[in-house]
Amino acid sequence: MSPDVRPVTESEVTDWLRACRIGFLQSPEVSEELAADRLAHFDMPRVRGAFDAGRCVATYRSYTQQLTVPGGAAVPANAVSNVTVSPTHRRRGLLTSMIASDLAAAKERGEIVSTLIAAEFPIYGRYGFGPATWFTEWSIDVARTGLDPRRPGPGDGARIDLADGEEVRKLGPELYDRFRADRAGAADRDARWWQLNTGVVPAGPEPWREPFYALYRSATGDVEGLAVYRAAASGWSDAGQPDTALEVEKLITVSPAAERALWHFVCSVDWVTTVRSGRRAPDDLLPLLFPDPRAARTVTCADFLWVRVLDVVRALEARTYGIPGRLVLEVHDPLGQAGGRFRLEVTSDGKAECSPTGVAADLSLDLGALGSVYLGDESMLRLMALGRVSEHRAGAAALADAVFRAPRRAWCPDMF
């Protein structure tokens, strides 16, 4: 018999968590405390699983998210997470069954896009998702940066203070909301996010290890930046000198002064010879903040947040655009839920009206390509060169490229 794909009951949460951990190659151990915590916070009708002979063999969960789009609007999104299929039950259509029903329900609820972080690239394009943000990670050779090790800290009355988790839970949410209001690709963080990321509630069975927190305060006392970092590896060089690697887990700021000061701070911690930046925006200021930018060596550049448009009209009207223009887009949806032909009219103020139309299309593209350009990061001309976009009116792809592109690259700082 085929596995039974359905919502998970409360009594099955422990089995579901165990299957999820197996899918991610983690220890299958699930404590009663962890299961009770997840049960208390899951939106259970949106937790799906596949069951074979009473055992959970596939997992899937979604929840409501607010995603910032170009122009600063926060749109309702269906965030997909915890997607696994046990190695004994691959290639049986279990993910297809779970994701198709979830996306249909999300559209019915009024969520206009769906988001996820793809562990494997080839999977989610089949369901209309496209990579919409990328990240870059740098390894910084502190000795090469050219920074003055005697520099005491930020000037002009600003300061950097070490903090604890309680202070971060108090001050962090307001700072982050200011940050995400101006960054396409950033998603909201609720109170539970701050609890999970400061050790108040367990993120998993592994014991919590407290990181270091550094807050940047301007001369007026306003918190304008937060850095979260850990000492990753520590030892001694052959010359008998301390040799410590520092990993930055999070660094968010709302001013260039805060960004500069916090990066200079983490590169000035005693004993630290190497700093790993964590996942940063590809157009981050980081390398150019140093007298010698080559001290920051790129070690990773990869896709991160994937987007699927659930409601083309509402999604395209929610964001702003670079230049005025008129485009007719033929959108193909592999699941048959959101496709059609749409007329997009962008006015001189960057706002748009979108509606279904029967006139001839200027461009045709699949829903994944639309997801890739939606946050303004991908180029319509690049997608056309890759065969993902077809041009039916000369110059339409170049116009669409200028219309959709945003001044700053989209960036999602959080895994979910």
Side-chain angles (χ1 to χ4, degrees):
M1 295 178 61
S2 299
D4 182 20
V5 179
R6 56 174 172 77
V8 175
T9 66
E10 292 187 1
S11 64
E12 295 167 329
V13 166
T14 297
D15 190 27
W16 184 93
L17 288 168
R18 185 179 298 111
C20 186
R21 292 185 63 81
I22 289 171
F24 286 114
L25 297 178
Q26 299 169 331
S27 168
E29 175 188 4
V30 177
S31 67
E32 292 183 6
E33 178 189 16
L34 182 65
D37 176 77
R38 297 303 186 264
L39 178 59
H41 293 91
F42 279 174
D43 186 350
M44 289 304 296
R46 297 172 69 168
V47 181
R48 291 171 165 78
F51 294 83
D52 189 0
R55 181 176 181 178
C56 187
V57 295
T59 64
Y60 183 102
R61 181 174 71 92
S62 68
Y63 62 94
T64 297
Q65 180 186 74
Q66 295 292 315
L67 178 70
T68 303
V69 299
V75 303
N78 177 67
V80 176
S81 187
N82 300 132
V83 179
T84 73
V85 177
S86 294
T88 53
H89 287 72
R90 298 168 64 246
R91 304 294 184 264
R92 301 192 190 185
L94 301 183
L95 173 56
T96 298
S97 178
M98 293 187 293
I99 200 169
S101 59
D102 176 66
L103 294 176
K107 184 175 182 180
E108 188 71 21
R109 283 191 300 268
E111 291 158 347
I112 66 175
V113 298
S114 188
T115 61
L116 55 81
I117 310 295
E120 296 183 71
F121 196 99
I123 295 174
Y124 294 99
R126 303 199 306 265
Y127 306 109
F129 287 85
T133 78
W134 293 68
F135 75 88
T136 301
E137 183 174 12
W138 287 275
S139 177
I140 304 165
D141 182 346
V142 172
R144 284 194 57 192
T145 59
L147 297 176
D148 184 352
R150 299 166 298 177
R151 187 174 182 271
D156 300 325
R159 59 183 291 168
I160 292 176
D161 297 315
L162 293 179
D164 59 19
E166 182 178 1
E167 191 171 12
V168 168
R169 288 190 296 276
K170 177 182 177 181
L171 300 174
E174 191 273 338
L175 169 68
Y176 182 75
D177 284 344
R178 290 171 63 196
F179 160 80
R180 76 179 179 93
D182 192 41
R183 194 74 196 217
D188 62 319
R189 297 175 178 176
D190 59 12
R192 179 167 172 77
W193 187 97
W194 292 97
Q195 293 174 341
L196 283 165
N197 285 271
T198 56
V200 174
V201 296
E206 298 79 13
W208 169 254
R209 188 167 66 94
E210 186 83 355
F212 300 98
Y213 305 103
L215 293 170
Y216 172 92
R217 287 183 168 90
S218 68
T220 60
D222 295 325
V223 175
E224 294 186 350
L226 167 66
V228 183
Y229 61 94
R230 299 179 188 271
S234 185
W236 299 85
S237 70
D238 292 338
Q241 297 294 320
D243 185 8
T244 299
L246 185 149
E247 289 187 356
V248 175
E249 294 187 354
K250 303 286 184 186
L251 193 151
I252 57 168
T253 64
V254 294
S255 70
E259 187 166 3
R260 177 185 299 273
L262 283 173
W263 281 116
H264 284 193
F265 170 76
V266 297
C267 288
S268 70
V269 176
D270 286 342
W271 292 16
V272 171
T273 57
T274 303
V275 173
R276 291 287 291 244
S277 71
R279 294 182 293 266
R280 308 297 303 168
D283 60 350
D284 205 88
L285 297 178
L286 174 59
L288 299 177
L289 292 174
F290 304 134
D292 184 353
R294 294 182 184 178
R297 174 175 57 90
T298 300
V299 293
T300 309
C301 181
D303 59 284
F304 196 63
L305 183 75
W306 289 53
V307 169
R308 173 191 158 90
V309 176
L310 301 175
D311 186 323
V312 174
V313 170
R314 291 177 62 207
L316 294 185
E317 289 185 341
R319 59 157 290 180
T320 60
Y321 298 86
I323 64 169
R326 169 192 168 280
L327 291 163
V328 177
L329 307 175
E330 181 82 37
V331 181
H332 305 289
D333 180 359
L335 298 181
Q337 297 177 352
R341 189 175 298 172
F342 304 91
R343 178 172 178 158
L344 179 69
E345 293 270 4
V346 180
T347 56
S348 58
D349 60 359
K351 297 180 180 179
E353 292 185 359
C354 183
S355 59
T357 184
V359 304
D362 299 319
L363 298 169
S364 58
L365 67 166
D366 61 41
L367 199 63
L370 184 61
S372 290
V373 301
Y374 180 59
L375 296 180
D377 194 66
E378 184 54 88
S379 160
M380 196 75 78
L381 288 170
R382 287 207 328 164
L383 293 179
M384 185 171 71
L386 292 167
R388 300 285 307 283
V389 173
S390 297
E391 184 179 65
H392 308 297
R393 176 172 64 86
L399 174 62
D401 193 77
V403 167
F404 275 87
R405 294 293 286 272
R408 297 184 69 187
R409 297 194 65 175
W411 179 44
C412 178
D414 295 333
M415 178 75 74
F416 59 88

